[in-house]
Amino acid sequence: MQILGNSSTDASGQRKIVVGPSTISLAVMVTVFLIAVIFAANQNDVIGWLVVIISLGWLLLSLFLVLGLRRGAKKVNETIQRTTADMAPRAQTAPSQTTIYSEADRTRDLKLDHSFKIVQVQSGVIKQYLDGGTPEAREMVDRAIETIEITASNARDMMKGSTSSKNSQGGSEPLSGDIIS
């Protein structure tokens, strides 16, 4: 059943009439109008002719609304079909914008982010103690550089496809040492 129209074409190409709510409402309004005309003509009464005029107004309003809605629905349908037809070639040729990350990738990214934060903190320590001429300042700089080396090595091991940062024993185990934050 097609609601937004009163006829459609079946598979054989013949038009068939489809009765929808709008067709029924128009039929009811026409029936009310004809009954009002018949009663008014039989009794030839002023009240009867007022009822005829009122029912004619309702019939015309109903007809206007049904035809307007059908026309509007047809235009909306054409616009949607045109837009869909215009978007179909774009959807086939455009690369997918959706990227799916696994939980392992997210965890690795968080670890890498943490490693970079450690490097930033240690570079701040180096800047702070670099100009100090005391043995304690030199020791802090050396420990910060060692922490940066360990963190960078571990971060590179976490990255996909990285084989150049294996530890001295040839494995991919993280380096260990004292990390100063």
Side-chain angles (χ1 to χ4, degrees), residues 127-177:
K127 288 177 186 174
Q128 180 182 355
Y129 287 102
L130 192 60
D131 293 335
T134 65
E136 180 184 299
R138 180 65 191 171
E139 183 181 323
M140 289 297 287
V141 170
D142 290 340
R143 288 170 62 186
I145 290 174
E146 180 186 5
T147 301
I148 289 172
E149 289 173 351
I150 291 170
T151 304
S153 175
N154 290 343
R156 290 194 62 200
D157 284 342
M158 282 187 270
M159 295 174 65
K160 289 183 179 178
S162 176
T163 58
S164 63
S165 64
K166 303 294 181 193
N167 65 12
S168 61
Q169 294 148 3
S172 62
E173 306 236 352
L175 295 178
S176 61

Side-chain angles (χ1 to χ4, degrees), residues 4-21:
L4 295 176
N6 61 355
S7 65
S8 65
T9 307
D10 63 3
S12 64
Q14 296 178 351
R15 292 185 63 89
K16 63 178 184 175
I17 295 176
V18 179
V19 177

Side-chain angles (χ1 to χ4, degrees), residues 95-113:
S96 176
Q97 298 294 327
T98 305
T99 306
I100 300 174
Y101 291 103
S102 67
E103 188 63 33
D105 288 341
R106 178 165 160 58
T107 303
R108 187 198 74 228
D109 289 346
L110 288 174
K111 288 180 179 179
L112 288 173
D113 180 55

Side-chain angles (χ1 to χ4, degrees), residues 37-59:
V37 167
I38 291 172
F39 281 131
N42 282 344
Q43 295 187 359
N44 202 8
D45 195 6
V46 174
I47 299 288
W49 289 109
L50 286 175
V51 171
V52 168
I53 293 172
I54 291 172
S55 65
L56 178 65
W58 279 106
L59 174 65

